[in-house]
Amino acid sequence: MKRYIMRRKGLFLLTLGVIALWNLIGANITITEQRMIDAVLAMDTDNTPRLMLGVIGINALSALFYVASQLLKNAFQVTVTDDMRKSIFAGVMKRSRKDFFSVNYSDYISAITNDLKLLRGQYIGMLFLLVMFGGGMVKSVVLMFWYEPIMAVVAIACAATMTVLPTIMAKWMQKLSKEHSEKLAGLNTLLTELFSGFQVLRSFGVMGHARKKFEQYSTELRKSEQKYDGMDTFSDAFAQFLSVMAQTLIQVLSAWMVWEGRMTAGALVAFVGLNGNFCSSLSM
């Protein structure tokens, strides 16, 4: 994949450059909107109209750059996919008769069509998605530190906690999921044995023993399901709790900063928005 990207290095770098400019324009949008809010609250009749027009203009410019980045991204994807398709076809046609017929020709067709389509979406598309979200995270972090370094540290610590703790809990979920699968497999095996030997069980009059055995396995499966479902519910609720508490903490601390005169109301709105964008990008 790397050699195909390097073959279209100019288009690739142009796309990355437009994405970077789009993020820079987004940073200017945040600052301009913050200044507009502060100007409105301060009843600054001289600067407010100019800032309002500036917000409209810079948002329009951001939309244009976003469209341009998407068009360039699609052009790069199509070009690289076409290069790979031609390369695969050339490689297939160079094979000897023995090597060519050692593989079903439908596999060649799938590799040139379906596999490339899948690769385009899962690799190239994901690559640009990571670039866009990564640029958004960098923009948010830089602006948060620019507005209030202490608040930025708190916001990043909250976001890291929201990311690490669910990851740790996911390991417990895997363990419980494995246990549940084992119990379910055990019940399936038991049912297969009981049903296949139904006539024998009836003949020897041991249906009561079979029923007790089934109830034992069913009870073990129920307990396993309760553990798994309980942990799954707790994990979701705990993640939601962390998210709400983190947002509440940021809002309260930001309000306190405004009260202390260390932040303006516009900066508060901007900071809360940046924190939300950072958390969203991190979760992706």
Side-chain angles (χ1 to χ4, degrees):
M1 177 59 72
K2 183 179 178 181
R3 66 189 179 96
Y4 291 107
I5 293 177
M6 294 305 295
R7 186 183 298 178
R8 303 295 177 176
K9 181 171 57 177
L11 182 57
F12 181 67
L13 292 177
L14 177 61
T15 306
L16 293 183
V18 172
I19 292 175
L21 287 174
W22 175 67
N23 278 298
L24 286 175
I25 293 172
N28 279 287
I29 289 175
T30 301
I31 296 173
T32 306
E33 288 178 344
Q34 172 252 313
R35 290 175 177 172
M36 181 186 68
I37 293 172
D38 290 336
V40 170
L41 293 176
M43 300 297 179
D44 187 350
T45 56
D46 294 331
N47 292 319
T48 298
R50 177 178 58 82
L51 290 170
M52 288 180 175
L53 292 174
V55 167
I56 295 173
I58 201 169
N59 272 283
L61 184 63
S62 175
L64 290 175
F65 268 84
Y66 177 76
V67 171
S69 68
Q70 294 302 302
L71 291 174
L72 287 170
K73 181 195 75 171
N74 292 334
F76 179 80
Q77 287 179 319
V78 170
T79 304
V80 170
T81 303
D82 184 60
D83 289 342
M84 295 177 67
R85 186 182 299 115
K86 292 176 180 177
S87 178
I88 294 173
F89 178 78
V92 170
M93 299 305 290
K94 288 180 180 179
R95 306 190 77 175
S96 63
R97 287 178 57 87
K98 180 180 179 181
D99 290 339
F100 181 84
F101 288 107
S102 65
V103 178
N104 193 309
Y105 71 87
S106 62
D107 292 336
Y108 296 133
I109 296 175
S110 178
I112 295 174
T113 56
N114 297 331
D115 293 352
L116 277 182
K117 183 179 179 181
L118 187 65
L119 182 64
R120 172 183 170 178
Q122 293 189 348
Y123 186 89
I124 305 176
M126 187 59 64
L127 174 63
F128 282 109
L129 189 63
L130 289 174
V131 169
M132 295 189 75
F133 278 105
M137 287 180 62
V138 172
K139 176 197 70 178
S140 297
V141 169
V142 170
L143 285 178
M144 284 194 295
F145 272 98
W146 184 69
Y147 278 117
E148 180 52 56
I150 296 177
M151 289 293 301
V153 172
V154 173
I156 293 173
C158 290
T161 302
M162 291 169 57
T163 303
V164 173
L165 288 182
T167 302
I168 296 175
M169 296 183 68
K171 295 181 179 179
W172 297 344
M173 289 296 297
Q174 290 177 356
K175 182 180 179 181
L176 292 175
S177 178
K178 181 180 179 181
E179 179 183 341
H180 176 263
S181 298
E182 291 174 351
K183 298 296 183 184
L184 184 60
L187 180 61
N188 288 334
T189 302
L190 176 66
L191 290 173
T192 301
E193 294 174 354
L194 294 178
F195 292 154
S196 63
F198 177 79
Q199 186 174 353
V200 176
L201 294 174
R202 294 287 292 183
S203 300
F204 286 90
V206 290
M207 296 298 290
H209 174 73
R211 187 177 298 107
K212 289 181 181 179
K213 198 71 174 177
F214 168 75
E215 291 177 353
Q216 176 189 346
Y217 275 70
S218 180
T219 300
E220 291 177 356
L221 178 61
R222 174 177 58 82
K223 292 179 180 179
S224 175
E225 288 174 338
Q226 288 176 339
K227 289 180 182 179
Y228 180 81
D229 292 343
M231 180 58 71
D232 186 44
T233 302
F234 175 77
S235 177
D236 291 340
F238 187 62
Q240 184 67 24
F241 171 77
L242 287 177
S243 177
V244 171
M245 292 306 298
Q247 292 177 12
T248 302
L249 178 62
I250 295 300
Q251 290 173 357
V252 170
L253 289 178
S254 298
W256 181 75
M257 290 289 183
V258 174
W259 187 48
E260 288 288 317
R262 298 181 59 175
M263 291 178 68
T264 63
L268 183 149
V269 174
F271 191 93
V272 171
L274 290 168
N275 179 61
N277 292 336
F278 174 75
C279 292
S280 298
S281 299
L282 187 63
S283 64
M284 290 296 293

